[in-house]
Amino acid sequence: MEAPSQAIELQDVSNYLTKPSDAKLASASLNINETRGSRLDEDEDSDPVENLPSPTTQAAQRLERWNTPRVNFWRTMAAFWSFVVMGSNDAAYGALIPYLQEYYSLTFVVISLVFLSPLVGYTASALLNNAIHLKFGQRGVAMIAPGCHLVAYVVIAVHPPYPVLVVIFMLAGFGNGLADAAWNAWIGNMANPNEVLGFLHAFYGLGAVLAPLIATTMITKGSRLPWYYFYYVMIGMAVIELATSSTAFWSATGAVFRANNPRTTNTKDNRMKEALLHAPYARVTWLCALFLLGYVGVEVALGGWIVKFMLEVRKGGDFASGMTATGFWMGITIGRIILGFVTPRLGEKLAIAIYLPLTMALELIFWLVPQFYVSAVAVALQGFFLGPLFPAAIVAATKLLPRHLHVSAIGFAAAFGGSGAAIFPFAVGAIAQAKGVQVLQPVILALLGVILGLWLCLPRIHRKQE
């Protein structure tokens, strides 16, 4: 049934072979249309456009900016708001842990499960991110991720039994991992990626500043509301996220994504396998993934346990201890904005090699000087120098990897790295059960040393590969 149609199409193309420019255009058009039509419903693990030619507009794509074309402005704003929600989600744990522990009468190890459970969601998002992009495009991410947030927050707000709480945090983790991977990869391909990613992650930091501030104020001041009232605020934020993201990315379908991100190599493997198993790209993918795993572990372990540390070890008051978490996240936010302009001038490789030793020195001051205010200032400055690490790693990956692997590799690295938000804070809680919460400091210092070593193992960064 299909053979006559294919023969006619081949005959039509051959008639134009004497016109080189027209023939190329006609052939590319036929290939794109045929691929879209015949392979749209393929298995999610396959790649519907593995043999497409690179688009002739690739130079123009490299110049795409956060506000050009016009729709990018609204999409960038939607991504910024999504990161506010993600930051609020992650930073809320630290502010709420003392009150969750009291409400449910739990030990350190059991309460630490709220950090570990999102790992399932992050892992799932790392594996499904590329398939969702190929099938549904950015529109799919813009609807699925906020939807996961909204459902999770509604369930948490009704303060269910603790095991239900642990399970539902998995769903919130999936939403975080999916949006984190998608918007990092998208903005990482724009002009001035360090600066724009700096602002993107600054909005994550803004959410992380607001969450402990709002939660601590609601619980410790005024009418002293129960901890779960904070999630009414999160429900409202997730509703806005769903509305803005789905509207802005509505036209970014799977067909559009596949057309804009064709293969530039001849391998028949799917993109995820190419990014994770084929040298030399697998080395870059895994180094970035492990770097982000350690970095996010430092960020969330420090932000998550700082309140408990300041209460129990530095003997601070409830409100003052809660504000140290706000200071830490504010340091991250300001660092991402300011150092986002410094990093590209120094070069990503050198900049992070400077920021990390400075952070380690501040960690030693935080650990060894037993004064509340010294610790509060030191942890805020740590946040300042930690801030640009995540954006710089994303930019480095876009420069070291070809374009067709960006969503697969960066998506995997971001989501895999996000699991550090689960693993290391849980590990701190488990060790704290036996040794006390002061174990936070040596764990953080060791992690900083490990990620510095990983960063130095990356190849020399020159320019973006296309």
Side-chain angles (χ1 to χ4, degrees), residues 138-432:
Q138 292 169 316
R139 178 204 285 182
V141 176
M143 298 179 72
I144 294 170
C148 290
H149 286 151
L150 182 57
V151 172
Y153 301 150
V154 168
V155 174
I156 296 168
V158 300
H159 50 97
Y162 186 69
V164 177
L165 204 65
V166 171
V167 172
I168 205 65
F169 275 127
M170 297 178 188
L171 190 63
F174 181 76
N176 265 27
L178 199 59
D180 196 15
W183 308 149
N184 270 301
W186 177 59
I187 290 180
N189 276 306
M190 290 184 178
N192 304 316
N194 271 294
E195 291 86 341
V196 184
L197 279 171
F199 275 94
L200 178 72
H201 287 270
F203 277 94
Y204 176 95
L206 176 63
V209 168
L210 293 174
L213 181 62
I214 295 170
T216 303
T217 303
M218 290 174 71
I219 295 169
T220 64
K221 301 291 183 182
S223 56
R224 292 181 174 269
L225 298 168
W227 65 268
Y228 50 83
Y229 270 54
F230 171 74
Y231 281 92
Y232 295 146
V233 177
M234 295 299 293
I235 289 170
M237 294 172 68
V239 169
I240 296 171
E241 182 192 13
L242 179 60
T244 54
S245 294
S246 58
T247 302
F249 287 95
W250 188 256
S251 61
T253 61
V256 171
F257 175 81
R258 295 193 300 271
N260 289 338
N261 293 271
R263 283 188 181 276
T264 54
T265 63
N266 294 322
T267 178
K268 299 294 182 182
D269 293 319
N270 66 45
R271 301 180 190 210
M272 183 67 75
K273 185 176 179 181
E274 187 179 351
L276 297 181
L277 301 178
H278 289 184
Y281 303 135
R283 175 191 173 192
V284 174
T285 303
W286 281 107
L287 281 173
C288 288
L290 291 169
F291 175 84
L292 292 178
L293 177 77
Y295 163 73
V296 175
V298 168
E299 180 185 76
V300 180
L302 203 50
W305 285 104
I306 182 64
V307 176
K308 195 75 173 174
F309 180 87
M310 298 301 269
L311 283 168
E312 295 195 358
V313 180
R314 295 291 184 256
K315 308 301 181 185
D318 287 353
F319 186 76
S321 297
M323 288 304 99
T324 58
T326 298
F328 171 71
W329 291 109
M330 189 170 290
I332 282 182
T333 304
I334 295 171
R336 283 172 173 167
I337 294 173
I338 294 176
L339 296 180
F341 291 92
V342 175
T343 301
R345 285 156 180 78
L346 294 175
E348 290 80 20
K349 193 79 181 280
L350 175 61
I352 303 309
I354 294 172
Y355 301 155
L356 275 172
L358 288 172
T359 307
M360 295 170 74
L362 289 163
E363 174 58 30
L364 282 170
I365 293 171
F366 182 26
W367 182 9
L368 300 175
V369 180
Q371 299 292 328
F372 182 90
Y373 292 109
V374 172
S375 296
V377 172
V379 80
L381 288 173
Q382 274 185 273
F384 179 81
F385 289 109
L386 283 170
L389 266 61
F390 200 118
I394 299 299
V395 173
T398 65
K399 291 181 176 181
L400 292 169
L401 295 169
R403 182 184 177 88
H404 76 280
L405 293 182
H406 286 178
V407 165
S408 300
I410 295 172
F412 175 82
F416 185 85
S419 64
I423 295 170
F424 294 110
F426 174 79
V428 169
I431 300 169

Side-chain angles (χ1 to χ4, degrees), residues 7-88:
I8 291 170
E9 290 175 3
L10 288 172
Q11 182 62 39
D12 289 344
V13 173
S14 67
N15 289 337
Y16 293 96
L17 289 177
T18 55
K19 301 176 183 179
S21 59
D22 290 344
K24 288 178 182 177
L25 291 171
S27 176
S29 176
L30 283 169
N31 283 339
I32 291 170
N33 290 331
E34 185 176 69
T35 304
R36 286 180 181 170
S38 63
R39 299 190 180 183
L40 186 60
D41 297 321
E42 280 193 358
D43 186 82
E44 286 183 346
D45 292 332
S46 65
D47 189 342
V49 288
E50 61 184 13
N51 293 318
L52 281 181
S54 297
T56 56
T57 57
Q58 203 165 51
Q61 288 177 346
R62 285 200 298 270
L63 296 175
E64 191 170 289
R65 294 177 174 272
W66 67 273
N67 58 352
T68 306
R70 182 64 176 170
V71 70
N72 277 6
F73 171 79
W74 301 109
R75 290 176 177 177
T76 303
M77 294 302 108
F80 284 175
W81 180 254
S82 183
F83 267 62
V84 172
V85 177
M86 289 162 55
S88 299

